[in-house]
Amino acid sequence: MFEKLTFAAAHYAALAIFIAACWGFGRTLFARLGGLVHPDFWLETAMTTALGVGIFICVFQALGIAGLLNLPGVLLTVAVGFAAACVQVPAWLRQARALEPGPSLSWVEKAALAALALVALPTLLAPLAPPAAFDELMYHLPYARQVAQSGTLGIHEWLRYPWFPYNYNLLYAGALLVGDDALPHFMNGLAGWLSVWMVYRLGVQYLNRVLACAAAAIWLGIGDYSNALIDMGVALFIVSAWIALWWWNESHAAQPAHGARWLALAAFFLGLAAGSKYQALTFLPLAAWFVIRRERRPAVWAVGLLCFLLPCVYWYARNAVMTGDPFNPIGAKVFGFSNWNLADYKNQVDDVRAHAALPNFLIWPVVLAPFSLAWRRSPAVHAAIVFCAYSLLVWALTSRYPRYMTASFPLLALVAVLGWQVLLGWIAGGLRRLLPAAGRAGWPMRAGGIAAGLFLAVLAAVSFRHTTRELAKVSPTPAAREAFLRANVPGYAVMNHVREHAKGRVYQIALSEAIYYGPNPIWGDTLGPWRYPDFPLLPGAEAARRFTGLGFEAIVMPDAVARTLTAHEDFNRHFALMFEQDGAKAYRILPPAP
């Protein structure tokens, strides 16, 4: 246990330094954007930190373009941001101490905060586990590792998505340069925790504290803090852009100049999101419609466009110049195919459709939000409901893949609590009509107290179970890490063996979820120029000659594939078993007979 505590403390110390550096950069710029019509000190602090995250991404991108994204470059950037934070902390503390104390919390608000803390507890341990999620092992971390090792933003065609925009992954590359491969999980977790805090402060400002806790708990509960995907990073930038747009909307009439600055900030956040994932582009029509109703000056739009392009234009311009498709590979039907072919494109679309499903049930009541009083009373809530309706419509017409809705989850969670309030209000009203005694004085309060106590007791048990499970995944020693990976990553042992022993190229079949632990690089995938159908292993003699000619030494595959291949004598004459463990095998390619 002591080793786990030390391991956790080291990672949280590194995260704290990074957060301070982000805040230092963000506050330096944020202070120059002007005042707000309805300021919220703690929401501004979260937005400042998110802005700093974006500045780090832009600096890392510039360093990568110049081939200088290395350990000295990362440490220098962090040091400058941390120094900026140290200079500005005294003023920030004076502002915090000058805040007027709020009203004392009711027992309901205290119960809501306790529930939020119970939901948060497992997420604090989840990032400490070794990487084991499918997509982070297949291309997110392999790409980040390539950037960390080379110091540049190269094109790696052995990865499934070599041409994607990789803004948020640059933070993972920086994390790998200064720490182990659990540290990128904290970059992902930071995006989640920051956006949860934003949701909570929005709820306090426009709803009430109890609903704010409920909304934050929903988003906290459905987020995934145990991996290095980029969906929560995109969610952070989208909710930050929405907040900046609303600040622009509030300040536009009173302070047109400052309003334009908030518009530029919103555009910058949208650019960060678009430079992290193509799906973020779907929010641009809504944002443009929201802005053009009140702002049509070409100069303001030009500044907004420049701020949008700053963090993302590199990826799209590079793709357009090198492949003819700025949205490679999803724009292939319009701009022409390059590393993908039509079959790859169809397989990807079919795979997304196969994963179509309803999102988490906690956000389903979002459809009832228009029945709430807040819909009519608060323009900000009205705008959030419009955002959610647009997001749901676009999602339903395109992928219907739940993970592709993650970018909208923060605001969906905020609006969903209004739907839950409406639904529970209808249920309570029905009970009062059916059971008139339930309306007697004092009974609703007593019933509410009993329900809250039972809910907290159940939530405490669930939180304890999840926290214990996450704690068991923490692997501070090499032996614990090895045991965890063998149990959770199919093909890990074989991949690790060929990484340590193979001298030539290695081709993998149906083990994409383990390539991060294999040789670097490793070839083979269902899509792209190294697709499996283009490299058949039968007949064995022809396959062995071709692979040997390309410099390949070994092939790895799961047992199910190996059983099919080894049933053919021709395969056994040209491929020899090299290593097998945990349901996977590695075969050495035998040189052709003289």
Side-chain angles (χ1 to χ4, degrees):
M1 180 59 71
F2 177 76
E3 289 177 326
K4 292 188 177 184
L5 290 174
T6 304
F7 185 75
H11 284 79
Y12 272 102
L15 177 65
I17 293 171
F18 179 71
I19 291 174
C22 289
W23 179 82
F25 277 134
R27 183 176 167 87
T28 300
L29 180 58
F30 199 88
R32 289 159 176 75
L33 295 179
L36 295 170
V37 176
H38 299 105
D40 182 309
F41 178 78
W42 299 111
L43 179 59
E44 290 177 42
T45 299
M47 286 285 285
T48 297
T49 308
L51 177 58
V53 172
I55 292 172
F56 259 97
I57 287 174
C58 290
V59 172
F60 284 180
Q61 188 185 114
L63 290 174
I65 294 171
L68 299 173
L69 187 50
N70 49 32
L71 182 58
V74 170
L75 292 179
L76 178 61
T77 307
V78 172
V80 172
F82 191 80
C86 292
V87 171
Q88 298 175 91
V89 161
W92 182 84
L93 289 175
R94 286 193 298 270
Q95 287 180 287
R97 284 193 291 263
L99 294 175
E100 295 183 6
S104 58
L105 300 179
S106 67
W107 72 266
V108 178
E109 291 173 327
K110 291 178 181 177
L113 287 169
L116 179 57
L118 289 172
V119 175
L121 186 58
T123 73
L124 300 178
L125 293 176
L128 292 164
F134 188 98
D135 282 4
E136 71 169 330
L137 300 182
M138 183 172 62
Y139 64 98
H140 287 296
L141 285 181
Y143 177 83
R145 181 174 59 189
Q146 288 293 108
V147 173
Q149 290 177 349
S150 65
T152 188
L153 309 182
I155 306 299
H156 311 290
E157 289 202 342
W158 55 275
L159 291 174
R160 176 169 293 188
Y161 305 115
W163 298 96
F164 268 21
Y166 278 111
N167 265 353
Y168 211 82
N169 298 80
L170 300 182
L171 297 179
Y172 302 158
L176 291 175
L177 281 167
V178 301
D180 60 18
D181 54 16
L183 197 55
H185 292 173
F186 285 85
M187 303 296 102
N188 172 68
L190 174 60
W193 293 318
L194 267 179
S195 54
V196 165
W197 181 247
M198 291 176 181
V199 167
Y200 173 75
R201 293 309 307 176
L202 288 171
V204 170
Q205 187 172 8
Y206 294 108
L207 304 176
N208 60 59
R209 195 176 301 276
V210 174
L211 292 180
C213 288
I218 288 175
W219 171 220
L220 191 64
I222 62 180
D224 193 343
Y225 294 79
S226 62
N227 58 52
L229 306 185
I230 46 85
D231 300 276
M232 292 207 300
V234 177
L236 170 65
F237 296 139
I238 292 299
V239 71
S240 298
W242 184 89
I243 293 170
L245 275 177
W246 188 251
W247 287 347
W248 164 79
N249 182 68
E250 290 184 323
S251 63
H252 179 76
Q255 300 171 308
H258 289 170
R261 296 175 186 178
W262 297 121
L263 185 59
L265 179 64
F268 179 68
F269 280 126
L270 286 173
L272 289 167
S276 299
K277 194 161 188 170
Y278 287 137
Q279 280 78 10
L281 294 170
T282 61
F283 295 99
L284 296 185
L286 178 65
W289 172 80
F290 186 79
V291 173
I292 203 169
R293 294 180 308 151
R294 300 192 63 178
E295 180 59 79
R296 295 183 176 87
R297 289 176 293 177
V300 174
W301 275 80
V303 171
L305 180 61
L306 179 63
C307 291
F308 170 78
L309 292 175
L310 177 64
C312 71
V313 68
Y314 166 79
W315 309 106
Y316 294 92
R318 178 203 64 181
N319 292 358
V321 170
M322 298 184 70
T323 71
D325 178 6
F327 314 103
N328 187 301
I330 64 172
K333 281 193 171 182
V334 176
F335 299 98
F337 290 93
S338 53
N339 57 312
W340 278 18
N341 58 28
L342 183 59
D344 292 333
Y345 187 94
K346 183 178 183 302
N347 288 340
Q348 177 69 9
V349 172
D350 290 344
D351 182 65
V352 171
R353 288 175 177 169
H355 287 86
L358 290 173
N360 192 289
F361 81 95
L362 290 173
I363 67 169
W364 292 0
V366 71
V367 297
L368 301 179
F371 294 97
S372 69
L373 294 177
W375 161 262
R376 296 184 290 273
R377 293 177 178 175
S378 172
V381 172
H382 189 103
I385 292 176
V386 171
F387 171 91
C388 293
Y390 174 86
S391 300
L392 289 171
L393 178 63
V394 170
W395 175 79
L397 293 176
T398 54
S399 68
R400 289 177 287 115
Y401 179 27
R403 188 152 64 85
Y404 286 178
M405 194 190 285
T406 305
S408 303
F409 276 165
L411 288 178
L412 283 170
L414 185 65
V415 173
V417 296
L418 294 175
W420 280 109
Q421 186 183 42
V422 170
L423 180 60
L424 294 175
W426 289 348
I427 294 173
L431 289 175
R432 282 194 296 268
R433 287 190 295 271
L434 290 175
L435 304 170
R440 293 175 183 171
W443 171 247
M445 186 63 69
R446 289 194 298 271
I450 294 171
L454 290 174
F455 175 73
L456 284 177
V458 172
L459 189 59
V462 173
S463 177
F464 177 78
R465 181 165 61 92
H466 282 275
T467 302
T468 303
R469 185 181 63 187
E470 297 299 340
L471 181 61
K473 296 178 182 179
V474 180
S475 307
T477 65
R481 176 183 169 91
E482 180 84 6
F484 174 84
L485 293 175
R486 286 186 60 185
N488 291 277
V489 179
Y492 163 76
V494 168
M495 283 288 191
N496 189 55
H497 179 84
V498 294
R499 178 180 60 83
E500 293 177 344
H501 295 91
K503 304 301 182 185
R505 288 183 169 189
V506 177
Y507 190 89
Q508 64 83 21
I509 300 174
L511 287 176
S512 297
E513 67 270 36
I515 67 171
Y516 174 70
Y517 295 110
N520 183 32
I522 185 170
W523 287 262
D525 207 324
T526 56
L527 310 171
W530 297 94
R531 62 186 67 86
Y532 304 139
D534 292 348
F535 292 87
L537 296 181
L538 290 173
E542 181 181 335
R545 281 195 300 271
R546 183 179 184 188
F547 275 111
T548 302
L550 292 172
F552 283 92
E553 176 187 347
I555 297 174
V556 296
M557 64 191 76
D559 284 351
V561 176
R563 282 194 295 270
T564 301
L565 293 173
T566 54
H568 296 265
E569 186 177 344
D570 187 44
F571 178 85
N572 297 321
R573 284 198 296 265
H574 299 279
F575 297 86
L577 183 64
M578 178 181 176
F579 183 78
E580 63 176 318
Q581 195 169 5
D582 299 338
K585 291 182 171 66
Y587 289 88
R588 189 177 303 278
I589 304 171
L590 300 177

